[in-house]
């Protein structure tokens, strides 16, 4: 089987504009669970074990090419400068696919297609030794879709909705737009396809009847999960497809041990990894290449993107975490915001209303309340008092703050970076730290307190006006 897959080329059509999306972005790059639409058919093709893949680009092609270069460098790019229809599109890539024995053609806008469905089509195409195979499905309401016309003599034709006559419009069997052609047969007929139809386009659907007439057998594979073949053409389609995909992803994780209180309000991206016994509360979102280890709890309305979390850590919701790593048994939130390569080490705590950027919070250390920690390194078992801020930005550059192990930072300390503090050092509450604090020292940097005796008595004698207070 695997050797046979080498004889297949896969051409994904993605040159069309997708006008109904009303967007400057090409349709195949519209985000769907935060990945471009085309990510999904590419993944299905790859998971089916198919290797020789090219994407046909046109409208917004530079953007599509840039995405592929970054995320799918093994996928080829073929240009179709003018979009004159799907047959014109397939022809634009002929120089490439004619070198293979078979070519699979599908659209870049069918994100729900599954690898198993593509493998099944490959198997059946090979077993039937046919010159053309394609997937069809049955729709209760077929209006708007192209129909599969099966004639009594066995001949097959695909007719677009706009070109269909009355008895054809009554057919419920629909063309999925996923085909495999024997490349010699396709080459023999592709020149014969004309544009005399309602839209004046060259349609690859015509190749099916032409191959049946002159080249050999056409094999139809009926797919029973019609949701797999829903195309994304409008913003409404994007939302509907996202819902189906999300449900599919979450049920897959639940089959592997995820506990999810409310799958309807939870969102999990396709590249997320979740260990068994991860527990997700309602309204949480996990995106990007996040990897969450077993026993972790993700609190309600938290948003995580490109985050790795080790065993048994807890994120109390809502918290917003991106591009960061959380160690074992750590506790984050509620209302914490972590970003920019932050590392929270094992058993550390980042609490309520704390923002941490590009910093390392050492093992067992705590930043429990109302702080900003940016460009800082904090050693282990250090306690950072409420309201502490690392003043990392001087208006031009960012500077580092280094705080040692087992330190005690008093509440409302301002660290004016660059500055550092040795192990076991302390700061007094309300201090503005502008000089390094040596190991074991206590830094106090604030105005000394004066108490004016009998103040309230004096205010009363001098009259009821607030004047006395203002003069002070
Ligand atoms: C197409 C099929 C239809 C099938 C449906 C399934 C044709 C004529 N119709 O209709 O039978 O039921 O898919 O989803 O093939 N494209 C190009 N270059 C072009 C034109 C289109 O690359 O010149 C690409 C589009 O970007 C898109 C795909 O081909 O990814 C299909 O084109 P689209 O216009 O969406 O065709 P449908 O009307 O969906
Ligand atoms: Ca389409």
């Amino acid at each position: 089987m695997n050797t046979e897959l080498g004889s297949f080329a896969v051409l994904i059509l993605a040159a069309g504009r997708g006008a109904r999306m009303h967007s400057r972005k090409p349709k195949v790059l519209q985000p769907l669970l935060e990945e471009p639409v085309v990510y999904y058919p590419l993944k299905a093709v790859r998971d089916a074990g198919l290797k020789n893949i090219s994407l046909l680009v046109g409208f917004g092609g530079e953007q599509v090419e840039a995405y592929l270069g970054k995320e799918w460098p093994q996928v080829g790019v073929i240009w179709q400068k003018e979009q004159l229809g799907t047959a014109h599109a397939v022809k634009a890539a002929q120089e490439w696919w004619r070198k293979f024995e078979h070519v699979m053609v599908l659209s870049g806008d069918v994100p729900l297609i599954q690898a198993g469905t593509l493998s099944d089509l490959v198997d059946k195409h090979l077993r039937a030794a046919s010159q053309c195979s394609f997937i069809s499905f049955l729709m209760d309401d077929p209006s708007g879709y192209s129909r599969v016309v099966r004639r009594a003599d066995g001949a097959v034709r695909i007719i677009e909705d706009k070109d269909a006559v009355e008895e054809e419009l009554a057919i419920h069997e629909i063309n999925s737009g996923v085909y495999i052609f024997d490349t010699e047969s396709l080459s023999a007929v592709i020149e014969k396809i004309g544009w005399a139809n309602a839209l004046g386009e060259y349609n690859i659907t015509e190749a099916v009847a032409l191959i049946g007439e002159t080249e050999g057998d056409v094999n139809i594979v009926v797919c029973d999960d019609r949701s797999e073949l829903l195309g994304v053409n409008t913003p409404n389609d994007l939302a509907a497809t996202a819902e189906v995909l999300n449900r599919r992803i979450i049920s897959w994780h639940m089959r592997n041990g995820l506990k999810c209180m409310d799958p309807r309000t939870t969102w999990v991206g396709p590249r997320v990894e979740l260990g068994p016994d991860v527990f997700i509360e309602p309204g949480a979102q996990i995106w990007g290449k996040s990897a969450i280890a077993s026993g972790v709890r993700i609190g309600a309305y938290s948003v995580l993107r490109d985050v790795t979390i080790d065993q048994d850590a807890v994120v109390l919701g809502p918290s917003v975490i991106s591009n960061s790593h959380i160690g074992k048994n750590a506790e984050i939130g509620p209302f914490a915001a972590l970003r920019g390569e932050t590392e929270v080490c094992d058993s550390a705590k980042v609490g309520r209303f704390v923002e941490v950027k590009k910093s390392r919070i050492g093992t067992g250390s705590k930043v429990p309340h109302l702080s900003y920690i940016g460009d800082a390194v904090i050693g282990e078992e250090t306690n950072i008092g409420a309201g502490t801020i690392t003043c990392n930005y001087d208006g031009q550059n960012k500077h580092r703050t280094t705080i040692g192990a087992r330190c005690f930072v008093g509440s409302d300390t301002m660290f004016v970076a660059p500055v550092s503090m040795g192990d076991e050092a302390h700061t007094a509450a309300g201090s503005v730290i502008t000089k390094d604090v040596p190991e074991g020292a206590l830094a106090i940097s604030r105005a000394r307190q004066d108490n004016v005796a009998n103040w309230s008595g004096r205010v009363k004698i001098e009259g009821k006006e607030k004047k006395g207070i203002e003069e002070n």
Side-chain angles (χ1 to χ4, degrees):
M1 180 69 207
N2 273 342
T3 51
E4 284 180 307
L5 287 181
S7 64
F8 279 79
V10 181
L11 181 65
I12 302 181
L13 306 183
R17 166 143 193 239
R20 282 173 287 166
M21 209 48 92
H22 303 284
S23 176
R24 277 168 296 169
K25 212 183 247 187
K27 178 163 76 175
V28 290
L29 291 188
Q30 296 293 331
L32 186 54
L33 300 189
E34 295 207 340
E35 301 296 333
V37 166
V38 74
Y39 164 89
Y40 298 93
L42 281 167
K43 182 173 186 295
V45 166
R46 190 192 61 192
D47 290 352
L50 293 153
K51 298 221 156 48
N52 312 303
I53 311 167
S54 283
L55 202 79
L56 192 89
V57 303
F59 177 81
E62 295 81 7
Q63 293 173 58
V64 182
E65 209 171 0
Y67 164 72
L68 290 177
K70 209 166 131 233
E71 301 287 337
W72 299 87
Q74 68 282 31
V75 170
V77 173
I78 298 170
W79 279 81
Q80 182 199 20
K81 296 279 182 204
E82 229 183 335
Q83 288 83 50
L84 303 179
T86 46
H88 182 260
V90 172
K91 214 172 115 192
Q94 189 173 6
E95 279 307 299
W96 173 69
W97 54 253
R98 56 187 279 275
K99 291 181 261 173
F100 299 86
E101 211 176 313
H102 315 274
V103 58
M104 176 186 283
V105 175
L106 71 158
S107 297
D109 65 355
V110 285
L112 297 175
I113 189 100
Q114 307 227 52
T117 307
L118 298 178
S119 299
D120 187 47
L121 179 66
V122 167
D123 286 348
K124 289 181 172 148
H125 176 78
L126 292 173
R127 228 177 301 141
S130 50
Q131 276 57 55
C132 167
S133 302
F134 71 95
I135 302 176
S136 73
F137 58 108
L138 299 167
M139 285 288 260
D140 296 337
D141 176 11
S143 48
Y145 293 89
S146 50
R147 314 297 201 282
V148 177
V149 185
R150 297 176 186 248
R151 283 211 237 102
D153 62 358
V156 176
R157 203 171 140 238
I158 298 170
I159 186 101
E160 294 303 301
D161 184 73
K162 287 198 173 72
D163 300 312
V165 297
E166 208 174 322
E167 65 263 34
E168 290 164 340
L169 287 171
I171 296 170
H172 290 257
E173 188 175 10
I174 300 302
N175 168 34
S176 69
V178 184
Y179 323 81
I180 295 174
F181 299 101
D182 165 67
T183 52
E184 265 181 42
S185 304
L186 183 59
S187 293
V189 303
I190 199 154
E191 300 290 345
K192 298 183 197 158
I193 297 174
W195 49 268
N197 50 55
L199 292 176
E201 290 182 341
Y202 296 92
N203 293 338
I204 194 61
T205 46
E206 283 192 31
V208 172
L210 289 171
I211 288 175
E213 281 160 23
T214 60
E215 300 298 312
D217 293 336
V218 174
N219 180 26
I220 309 176
V221 177
V222 184
C223 171
D224 35 5
D225 180 1
R226 61 180 179 227
S227 73
E228 274 194 44
L229 298 151
L230 292 178
V232 171
N233 296 305
T234 67
N236 270 304
D237 294 339
L238 269 179
T241 323
E243 202 178 319
V244 175
L245 270 173
N246 188 49
R247 271 311 265 269
R248 210 191 257 173
I249 291 169
I250 292 174
S251 12
W252 185 86
H253 285 297
M254 291 203 288
R255 285 198 294 281
N256 289 288
L258 166 70
K259 315 296 181 294
C260 180
M261 270 181 88
D262 186 8
R264 291 167 309 168
T265 60
T266 301
W267 293 87
V268 177
R271 294 194 290 172
V272 171
E273 290 169 28
L274 301 174
D277 266 331
V278 167
F279 189 95
I280 306 182
E281 294 176 16
Q285 302 176 29
I286 311 175
W287 302 117
K289 281 189 178 156
S290 294
I292 318 290
S294 96
V296 170
R297 187 179 187 100
I298 307 295
Y301 302 101
S302 291
V303 181
L304 276 50
R305 183 170 288 105
D306 297 319
V307 177
T308 53
I309 308 187
D310 296 344
Q311 271 194 353
D312 299 324
V314 177
V315 175
L316 299 169
S319 291
V320 180
I321 312 176
S322 61
N323 205 9
S324 295
H325 173 253
I326 314 292
K328 266 192 303 200
N329 293 307
E331 191 184 313
I332 311 293
F335 302 100
L338 278 58
R339 62 194 166 99
E341 293 159 41
T342 281
E343 182 168 9
V344 178
C345 300
D346 296 354
S347 305
K349 179 175 174 167
V350 173
R352 291 161 166 78
F353 303 102
V354 174
E355 178 180 359
V356 185
K357 187 218 88 178
K358 213 175 171 89
S359 296
R360 182 164 194 268
I361 314 292
T363 305
S365 288
K366 296 188 170 81
V367 192
H369 328 273
L370 293 162
S371 286
Y372 172 64
I373 305 295
D375 303 303
V377 177
I378 299 174
E380 55 189 58
E381 304 294 339
T382 280
N383 191 78
I384 306 287
T388 293
I389 285 172
T390 55
C391 311
N392 59 332
Y393 187 48
D394 61 11
Q396 247 149 17
N397 297 304
K398 301 278 169 72
H399 300 285
R400 293 183 76 74
T401 300
T402 308
I403 299 170
R406 297 169 302 282
C407 290
F408 182 90
V409 172
S411 292
D412 198 28
T413 297
M414 302 287 132
F415 287 100
V416 181
V419 71
S420 72
M421 181 165 170
D423 292 347
E424 287 164 31
H426 292 225
T427 68
S431 289
V432 178
I433 305 299
T434 53
K435 290 189 292 196
D436 290 353
V437 183
E439 191 180 320
L442 165 68
I444 310 181
S445 160
R446 64 189 185 208
R448 219 169 250 288
Q449 179 172 337
D450 277 335
N451 289 338
V452 181
N454 278 328
W455 180 256
S456 61
R458 228 166 80 189
V459 173
K460 271 181 208 152
I461 292 160
E462 285 173 4
K464 290 168 204 93
E465 69 270 35
K466 289 186 346 223
K467 208 168 161 243
I469 296 168
E470 280 164 11
E471 276 170 1
N472 179 47

